[in-house]
Amino acid sequence: MLARRISSGSVRLTVLVWVLTLSITLGSGSELKVKVRLSDGQITDEVLEADGEKDSITLEFKQGDGTLITFVADFRQDVKIFRALILGELERGQNQYQALCFITRLNHNEIIPSESMAKLRQKNPQAIRTAEEKKSTEMLSMNIAVNLTRTWQLSAHIHNMCSVAREAVYTREADVKHWLDRGMESSMFEPQPVELPGLQSCGTVKDLWQPCSCSYNLRLEWYPCLLKYCRNRDVSGRGSPYKCGIKSCSKGYQFTYYVPHKQLCLWEEET
């Protein structure tokens, strides 16, 4: 069933992916394409783009099941955005695709700066990349829904990235408190009953139209997380540091959020 879903869905997603990619990459950017080994052993082409004007980085790749993952780091606003375009199961009444968007705060030193990313080059484009450090999975309770009509205050990237997700745009309470302290409007955020007593995990629910707590997992399998510095030595033995490479990391994320019915979380049946 999975193979049939991938082959039929790849054609359906082609135009959608082209339009979404165009909307994200407008601006002066520097692009790098690398071959990355996924956790299931498959090889994918990953595209990393640095936009100096917007001070942002975009990372995009396709998973083995056909899901398109896009990640944006907005350094200007300290915001990171994850988007998943998941192929729908038409035979089970789903749409052609299902889009999810998760927005969280970008911490310092999570990923290299956009100006450093723009300068990255690879000697062997055919080399298959594996991250030097595999970070543990971060568990995130996305208990706040985000109103897209007001997200321009938070990051200019959110509307382009998440408009296709419609009402499936989420963040977490801890980040909302931080943004409210910075003067963001509270009307942008709406609490969700993720931790409602009696709310079951979608994996245990039988009725497709029953509300439940859904979990979605993704992993950024390869990204430049740190700059490496070397040191020049002069005749006196003194050294001056200079940038001489990058350290690559892999990191997983588990997003848990409320869905009004299990039909929007069918992948939990496969786990």
Side-chain angles (χ1 to χ4, degrees):
M1 183 184 75
L2 183 59
R4 184 172 71 253
R5 178 159 47 121
I6 293 172
S7 59
S8 62
S10 59
V11 176
R12 300 187 255 122
L13 276 177
T14 300
V15 175
L16 174 67
V17 169
W18 181 83
V19 172
L20 291 173
T21 303
L22 179 64
S23 70
I24 293 170
T25 58
L26 290 176
S28 59
S30 175
E31 186 178 274
L32 178 69
K33 295 182 180 180
V34 297
K35 293 186 178 298
V36 175
R37 187 181 302 278
L38 300 174
S39 55
D40 61 5
Q42 297 191 55
I43 308 301
T44 190
D45 292 321
E46 181 176 291
V47 178
L48 302 100
E49 183 175 19
D51 190 326
E53 287 185 0
K54 297 180 180 179
D55 195 12
S56 66
I57 289 172
T58 301
L59 182 157
E60 189 167 79
F61 65 95
K62 188 176 287 188
Q63 295 182 160
D65 63 357
T67 299
L68 184 73
I69 300 295
T70 309
F71 167 79
V72 169
D74 181 350
F75 295 97
R76 188 169 295 170
Q77 295 295 105
D78 292 331
V79 168
K80 58 179 184 271
I81 310 161
F82 302 84
R83 186 187 66 197
L85 291 179
I86 306 161
L87 298 178
E89 297 186 40
L90 300 182
E91 66 275 18
R92 301 190 65 182
Q94 288 192 324
N95 294 328
Q96 292 185 345
Y97 66 90
Q98 183 176 346
L100 303 173
C101 245
F102 304 105
I103 305 166
T104 66
R105 184 180 176 186
L106 176 67
N107 296 314
H108 294 294
N109 300 321
E110 281 193 65
I111 190 169
I112 67 172
S114 60
E115 63 269 21
S116 299
M117 181 76 81
K119 297 174 183 177
L120 286 186
R121 302 293 183 269
Q122 54 180 339
K123 295 179 181 179
N124 182 7
Q126 298 306 313
I128 298 173
R129 309 292 173 181
T130 302
E132 297 172 60
E133 180 183 349
K134 187 171 183 178
K135 296 178 178 287
S136 59
T137 297
E138 185 175 358
M139 318 293 279
L140 300 164
S141 177
M142 310 302 283
N143 53 357
I144 304 289
V146 180
N147 183 343
L148 281 177
T149 61
R150 300 181 181 274
T151 53
W152 56 268
Q153 305 172 58
L154 196 54
S155 170
H157 298 273
I158 295 175
H159 190 269
N160 284 343
M161 278 275 287
C162 299
S163 58
V164 68
R166 300 173 185 172
E167 297 180 358
V169 184
Y170 307 95
T171 187
R172 55 182 181 167
E173 186 176 358
D175 293 325
V176 169
K177 289 179 179 178
H178 170 75
W179 292 325
L180 292 179
D181 288 342
R182 291 179 54 188
M184 303 296 171
E185 293 185 23
S186 60
S187 58
M188 193 191 319
F189 309 109
E190 180 181 344
Q192 298 291 290
V194 175
E195 300 171 1
L196 187 69
L199 186 69
Q200 294 178 264
S201 165
C202 291
T204 63
V205 169
K206 303 300 181 184
D207 183 356
L208 290 179
W209 304 107
Q210 181 176 330
C212 51
S213 176
C214 182
S215 291
Y216 186 77
N217 295 275
L218 65 83
R219 175 168 284 275
L220 302 183
E221 207 65 61
W222 189 94
Y223 65 95
C225 55
L226 193 67
L227 292 172
K228 290 182 179 179
Y229 287 85
C230 299
R231 188 173 290 273
N232 276 327
R233 296 287 181 181
D234 56 24
V235 292
S236 65
R238 295 178 180 176
S240 56
Y242 66 95
K243 298 173 186 176
C244 58
I246 58 105
K247 177 181 179 180
S248 59
C249 290
S250 168
K251 184 173 180 178
Y253 300 85
Q254 182 182 88
F255 303 99
T256 301
Y257 57 100
Y258 171 85
V259 290
H261 46 82
K262 181 183 176 175
Q263 180 76 353
L264 296 172
C265 190
L266 294 181
W267 53 82
E268 286 222 20
E269 294 182 347
E270 303 170 5
T271 57

